[in-house]
Amino acid sequence: GTIVNSVNIGPQHATHEVGAVKEKPASEKDLERFSTIYATYGTSGFLSRLCPAPSILSKPRPRVPKTKPDEVQELWAHVWAELYSTKMTSSDENRRKTRSDPSGSKGKQKGTRAQSAVPSASTSSFDLLGSVGEEVESGPATVISNGNASAKRIGPYNNNFRSSVLAPRGISFKLAQDFTSPWQHFESAAPKGNAASYYDGHYPGIKELWLEADEGFLADVVQEYQYMHNTRCCEAEFAAYAKEHLVKGTKRYLPTDSQVARHFRSVRMLELVSKPQDPTWKVPPIVHPAMHAETYDFDIRPDCAYWLSHAGFNPNYASLISLRVRLIDLHGISCPYLFAEFKRDGKSTSTVENQLATVASLALLNRFHLRLDRIAKAASTWSKTKDPEEIKTYGITFEGIAYAVWCVTPEMAAESEWNGCSLTRIAHGNCTSRPDLRRLVGWINEIHRWGLTRHAQSCQDDIKLCLRDEDNDLEVSELLEQLEDP
């Protein structure tokens, strides 16, 4: 009985390899053979010889190469943020091709979203950091659409970004020089009493911008940064808190709002798209041709940027400003003066500095050219004392609980000749330290004061002179309202 049952089970069990077998009564010869096998090898041996397992199950499983989860997660966070934050234009589509498309065919049609190629199991960590499926606005080295699968668009995440993008364009870092205070740096007087009230009294209409370093504020900020650091919060947590309490926004108005008082305001923009596509927003040129240089379009979105509004301009002539400077018409802003970049704790010091260098050098170069236009119109020369105090931008990098303040100034090979720029670290500290945090508050307030006074006034003066020369019928005296720095 046992043998007969085994015979009936055997063909059914074997159908996965040889196909379905119809049952039929076992012959005496079959029973004798089966009895011999069973007696010799037992039940398990009998079944294994009668119904061998599929050969595929005996093959070893392929080994999956190790990856770096932190780097992969951070990379894809930036990729998805880019894909969902804006629609791809037709010009973007024409130059996008994916690494996963061996045929070299062009991207999707206009109006569709980009699809990221999913890394395969054999993709190394270097490949993940060096390229992703499609080119995005900012981030790591990515593939460009020249039909060559090995061609990459280098980005701030890449280890060679400084040597192959920044250095050939004369963009460098200076980390040795620190100033003791923002008031020493700007040669200004420290506010007495309540700092926020002091600044608001001198620069009305932007009360939300100023910070007050009282003990209650410092204690709250230190406590939150300690919590985020100790619980290992993600980059978005650090960035969101800083944007709410340190690099704050102000009340914003449409450029067409006639009720807004005519004085300059600071307008904070987050991840604003401002591609270098016109003569007033030029890409930093290569100034060291002997060095190996990668092509880079400087198409990057700063995490946080402060621009000047056009509330101080006569609305009848505001459109003419775009003849001289980069004008974001939709927002009525131009002439950025402060940038902030964020990265998570202890992971990407070079990356966050590279991002700042990219956006700050782009803004500084175009501010530099505006001043050169004015010098040419006025038949004057570059001032070694006045011009360096006006032609500069600032940046703050946040890396977890650590911060650094940077001053970005032009380098010149000869008089009035751009030769790159330098990012000098002028302050640094830790947001879990009350003294360091108090210094950061002072820097932020003073940079805003400089941006709304010295920077704003020098920009408007340069624009005035250039516009007056281009249109003699234009009453430039009505175009801009002078600002006084008390």
Side-chain angles (χ1 to χ4, degrees), residues 324-345:
R324 310 311 313 173
V325 297
R326 174 61 165 161
L327 171 64
I328 311 297
D329 290 304
L330 187 62
H331 302 282
I333 56 177
S334 64
C335 305
Y337 65 90
L338 173 62
F339 301 92
E341 293 289 338
F342 302 90
K343 279 290 166 283
R344 61 187 206 161
D345 196 6

Side-chain angles (χ1 to χ4, degrees), residues 265-277:
R265 298 173 183 271
S266 180
V267 179
R268 188 194 68 174
M269 301 300 297
L270 304 179
E271 299 188 17
L272 177 66
V273 178
S274 182
K275 300 180 180 181
Q277 293 178 331

Side-chain angles (χ1 to χ4, degrees), residues 288-475:
H288 301 301
M291 300 178 67
H292 169 72
E294 293 282 352
T295 300
Y296 188 66
D297 56 13
F298 284 75
D299 181 8
I300 187 171
R301 302 173 190 173
D303 292 335
C304 177
Y306 288 90
W307 298 65
L308 294 178
S309 77
H310 290 166
F313 289 80
N314 186 319
N316 295 327
Y317 306 112
S319 61
L320 296 176
I321 299 171
S322 62
L323 299 175
R324 310 311 313 173
V325 297
R326 174 61 165 161
L327 171 64
I328 311 297
D329 290 304
L330 187 62
H331 302 282
I333 56 177
S334 64
C335 305
Y337 65 90
L338 173 62
F339 301 92
E341 293 289 338
F342 302 90
K343 279 290 166 283
R344 61 187 206 161
D345 196 6
K347 296 293 184 181
S348 313
T349 299
S350 60
T351 298
V352 71
E353 292 174 357
N354 290 345
Q355 290 180 185
L356 177 62
T358 302
V359 296
S361 62
L362 180 64
L364 180 64
L365 171 66
N366 291 279
R367 176 68 187 97
F368 180 84
H369 279 294
L370 175 60
R371 176 53 56 91
L372 291 188
D373 290 345
R374 173 186 175 160
I375 290 175
K377 298 288 186 183
S380 60
T381 58
W382 180 271
S383 170
K384 294 183 179 180
T385 57
K386 179 182 178 182
D387 291 331
E389 292 301 314
E390 298 176 349
I391 312 304
K392 56 185 177 181
T393 58
Y394 288 88
I396 306 174
T397 54
F398 292 90
E399 186 188 356
I401 61 175
Y403 73 83
V405 182
W406 304 82
C407 179
V408 189
T409 54
E411 298 286 344
M412 291 185 290
E415 184 176 328
S416 302
E417 182 180 345
W418 174 269
N419 196 44
C421 63
S422 296
L423 288 85
T424 303
R425 190 185 67 180
I426 54 179
H428 64 95
N430 190 308
C431 291
T432 60
S433 164
R434 291 195 186 190
D436 288 355
L437 186 59
R438 183 179 288 107
R439 281 190 286 271
L440 175 60
V441 168
W443 277 107
I444 293 174
N445 284 337
E446 282 298 301
I447 291 174
H448 283 312
R449 172 156 71 168
W450 173 85
L452 292 168
T453 55
R454 188 104 185 233
H455 171 72
Q457 187 168 339
S458 66
C459 288
Q460 71 173 9
D461 289 346
D462 290 354
I463 295 172
K464 282 171 62 176
L465 185 60
C466 293
L467 289 177
R468 184 182 64 191
D469 250 24
E470 291 177 356
D471 189 346
N472 293 327
D473 296 329
L474 179 64
E475 296 183 10

Side-chain angles (χ1 to χ4, degrees), residues 42-312:
T43 302
S44 60
F46 171 76
L47 292 177
S48 64
R49 281 160 177 76
L50 186 64
C51 312
S55 59
I56 188 172
L57 298 179
S58 63
K59 292 183 178 180
R61 297 179 63 181
R63 295 185 60 187
V64 178
K66 294 182 179 180
T67 60
K68 298 180 179 179
D70 290 344
E71 295 178 354
V72 173
Q73 182 180 3
E74 184 173 350
L75 171 61
W76 281 106
H78 280 272
V79 172
W80 286 115
E82 293 294 343
L83 295 179
Y84 280 103
S85 61
T86 187
K87 292 182 179 180
M88 295 170 57
T89 61
S90 57
S91 60
D92 291 332
E93 276 299 318
N94 292 335
R95 60 186 178 87
R96 280 170 165 77
K97 288 188 177 180
T98 63
R99 185 187 182 94
S100 61
D101 184 5
S103 64
S105 60
K106 293 186 177 181
K108 297 181 180 297
Q109 296 299 318
K110 181 179 179 181
T112 60
R113 289 191 179 275
Q115 299 293 328
S116 295
V118 178
S120 66
S122 62
T123 304
S124 67
S125 59
F126 174 82
D127 291 330
L128 284 170
L129 292 176
S131 63
V132 296
E134 293 188 280
E135 181 183 34
V136 293
E137 307 301 336
S138 65
T142 52
V143 180
I144 59 175
S145 58
N146 61 356
N148 184 353
S150 64
K152 298 177 181 178
R153 173 185 179 267
I154 196 168
Y157 285 87
N158 193 279
N159 292 332
N160 298 323
F161 187 78
R162 291 195 182 186
S163 60
S164 58
V165 173
L166 299 183
R169 292 164 176 83
I171 304 171
S172 61
F173 296 85
K174 296 180 180 179
L175 306 178
Q177 185 178 14
D178 280 0
F179 290 87
T180 58
S181 75
W183 300 279
Q184 179 184 354
H185 175 76
F186 289 105
E187 299 180 349
S188 59
K192 297 180 180 180
N194 186 290
S197 298
Y198 170 83
Y199 289 112
D200 184 50
H202 287 85
Y203 316 102
I206 47 175
K207 183 178 182 179
E208 308 93 338
L209 188 67
W210 310 110
L211 304 178
E212 178 56 55
D214 57 43
E215 290 303 317
F217 172 81
L218 296 177
D220 290 344
V221 175
V222 166
Q223 178 181 340
E224 182 63 21
Y225 270 98
Q226 287 175 340
Y227 174 85
M228 292 189 294
H229 176 68
N230 292 332
T231 57
R232 300 181 181 180
C233 288
C234 65
E235 176 186 320
E237 292 274 4
F238 284 94
Y241 185 80
K243 292 171 186 176
E244 183 179 355
H245 294 89
L246 296 174
V247 284
K248 301 191 301 181
T250 61
K251 187 181 296 184
R252 295 184 290 188
Y253 302 89
L254 290 172
T256 55
D257 192 340
S258 60
Q259 303 301 317
V260 181
R262 284 187 56 189
H263 59 78
F264 278 109
R265 298 173 183 271
S266 180
V267 179
R268 188 194 68 174
M269 301 300 297
L270 304 179
E271 299 188 17
L272 177 66
V273 178
S274 182
K275 300 180 180 181
Q277 293 178 331
D278 61 68
T280 63
W281 204 235
K282 302 175 183 178
V283 170
I286 294 174
V287 297
H288 301 301
M291 300 178 67
H292 169 72
E294 293 282 352
T295 300
Y296 188 66
D297 56 13
F298 284 75
D299 181 8
I300 187 171
R301 302 173 190 173
D303 292 335
C304 177
Y306 288 90
W307 298 65
L308 294 178
S309 77
H310 290 166

